[in-house]
Amino acid sequence: MIRLYHNPRCSKSREALALLQEAGAEVEVIEYLKHPPSAAELDRILTLLQLEPRDLLRTKEEEYETLCLDDITLERESLIETMVDNPMLIERPIAVSEDKAVLGRPPEKVLALLQH
């Protein structure tokens, strides 16, 4: 089972979902703008991605500037909470399996979760 944090309005996200479905993967689609991950879930996803919160922030969103997220003194926990409270700031799509995660940029990267 692959959990896909998905935004149906995003072409890259739709592409990633189509690739997984075409490959026969069982996919749980989570529209993260409606159902954002908890702070604990997002922390786990970041750990699996081997990324820091800043690496997953959408810096071109208006909220990025409004919330002064370019402040380098902001700590990991604070950034994660901000992302949970403002899920549009989370880069997409993110595909998560039991013990791996990938950022679907480009969308073909999600297929790596199907390899053993």
Side-chain angles (χ1 to χ4, degrees), residues 29-67:
V29 176
I30 298 170
E31 288 190 36
Y32 73 95
L33 294 177
K34 294 179 183 176
H35 308 284
S38 68
E41 286 174 296
L42 188 52
D43 186 54
R44 178 178 179 273
I45 290 167
L46 285 162
T47 299
L48 290 172
L49 288 169
Q50 299 179 352
L51 295 175
E52 289 301 318
R54 286 196 182 285
D55 301 324
L56 206 57
L57 278 172
R58 295 178 56 82
T59 59
K60 292 188 170 67
E61 294 294 331
E62 182 180 325
E63 290 79 0
Y64 182 84
E65 191 172 318
T66 304
L67 297 169

Side-chain angles (χ1 to χ4, degrees), residues 8-22:
R9 294 182 60 196
C10 170
S11 63
K12 300 291 183 205
S13 198
R14 290 192 308 268
E15 223 178 297
L17 177 58
L19 286 167
L20 289 169
Q21 290 172 330
E22 288 167 13

Side-chain angles (χ1 to χ4, degrees), residues 1-2 17 19-28 111 114:
M1 168 70 76
I2 293 175
L17 177 58
L19 286 167
L20 289 169
Q21 290 172 330
E22 288 167 13
E26 189 176 338
V27 182
E28 176 187 3
L111 297 175
L114 303 177

